[in-house]
Amino acid sequence: MAHVTFSPPYTTPEQAAQALRDVGYAVLRPEDVAAWIGTDLSELEALNADWKDLPPDDFLKDGGRYRRRRHSCFVVEGGAVCQVPHRAHWQPVEYNALHGGMQRWFAPMLDATVARPAWQRLLAALAKVSDTVFAPGGGPVPWFLEAHQFRIDTTDGIGRPTPEGAHRDGVDLVAVFLVGREGVKGGETRVFEATGPNGQRFTLTEPWSVLLLDDARMIHETTPIQPAAPGGCRDTLVVTCRQGAFQGAE
């Protein structure tokens, strides 16, 4: 049977904040992502090489070896981006039944990655839309951002981008950037209302397209990937924005 995919419901950068308010999510094309951030698409694509040497994720409770990642944390306020000392990633079990309640120490992102102007602008843009949607009228507030570089591979036959299943992250904004995919099938993105019947399914295929989510309103997951060619993998960047503090720091 042919593998069926559905195209993302793209919107424009100008409509992204309103889409987050109206339906709880927005999807932007790569060229619109670059324009929204204020950089060239080539500058974002220059980050891609930093996904080639991600260390293994040693915390997978399903025993899998399909995920590699790096993780770093930042505070952004009024466009100023500050990387904080390296810290563990922590989620409550209410949001991650599989890996919640664990202090997971992942390797930090490379200094060369976070020093790139495109990286700084990307984080500033996410904080700005968070100001607009989640803190309107009050001016810029501090946003606590966690950035995760993921590579899901198919070396063992199947890779699970979201082994915890459909979930929320316990933050305000979730941004899922597709960095690239090669030699895989599957990896369908699914978003659902947390308290309603509506949902959407589509496949991100264009490098540096992004899904923005109102985490309080939407549940999300990505279906497993399988190899379509030897060495198949899917690279993503997930950035979460949260007011008040990092999870586990209250």
Side-chain angles (χ1 to χ4, degrees):
M1 185 174 70
H3 183 68
V4 178
T5 61
F6 298 95
S7 299
Y10 289 122
T11 189
T12 66
E14 296 77 18
Q15 298 168 326
Q18 193 61 49
L20 282 165
R21 296 189 191 99
D22 291 345
V23 297
Y25 66 92
V27 191
L28 301 182
R29 293 180 175 86
E31 58 270 25
D32 287 334
V33 170
W36 175 57
I37 290 172
T39 191
D40 294 328
L41 184 55
S42 61
E43 293 297 314
L44 289 174
E45 292 169 339
L47 294 168
N48 292 17
D50 298 340
W51 269 255
K52 295 185 183 301
D53 67 342
L54 301 182
D57 182 338
D58 294 325
F59 293 92
L60 286 170
K61 282 190 172 181
D62 64 2
R65 298 178 299 173
Y66 52 81
R67 185 159 76 178
R68 296 175 172 271
R69 69 193 294 178
R70 290 183 183 272
H71 165 253
S72 287
C73 296
F74 307 81
V75 175
V76 183
E77 184 174 7
V81 177
C82 177
Q83 186 174 7
V84 303
H86 193 50
R87 63 190 308 277
H89 177 52
W90 184 89
Q91 293 174 293
V93 293
E94 292 87 346
Y95 291 109
N96 191 329
L98 185 62
H99 297 116
M102 301 170 61
Q103 293 281 338
R104 290 184 285 168
W105 287 92
F106 299 112
M109 296 178 64
L110 299 175
D111 291 343
T113 305
V114 301
R116 291 179 183 268
W119 176 255
Q120 302 287 314
R121 291 171 183 157
L122 183 152
L123 296 188
L126 292 175
K128 184 175 180 179
V129 75
S130 297
D131 278 331
T132 301
V133 176
F134 303 108
V141 301
W143 289 99
F144 295 80
L145 279 64
E146 296 197 46
H148 306 261
Q149 294 173 286
F150 289 107
R151 167 163 286 188
I152 308 298
D153 68 43
T154 56
T155 301
D156 293 333
I158 191 169
R160 296 178 173 85
T162 52
E164 64 271 40
H167 66 284
R168 292 163 52 215
D169 288 325
V171 298
D172 292 286
L173 180 77
V174 177
V176 182
F177 296 85
L178 178 73
V179 176
R181 53 180 287 153
E182 183 176 354
V184 299
K185 56 185 178 180
E188 180 180 82
T189 296
R190 298 176 178 177
V191 294
F192 314 91
E193 291 177 341
T195 59
N198 297 318
Q200 182 74 260
R201 54 189 290 208
F202 53 88
T203 303
L204 294 173
T205 60
E206 297 185 83
W208 289 102
S209 53
V210 67
L211 166 66
L212 304 173
L213 286 166
D214 180 339
D215 186 62
R217 293 174 56 190
M218 307 303 294
I219 296 170
H220 66 282
E221 67 175 333
T222 302
T223 63
I225 58 173
Q226 294 176 296
C233 64
R234 180 178 184 267
D235 293 345
T236 56
L237 167 68
V238 177
V239 183
T240 62
C241 303
R242 189 172 189 264
Q243 292 188 65
F246 295 110
Q247 288 195 97
E250 293 93 337

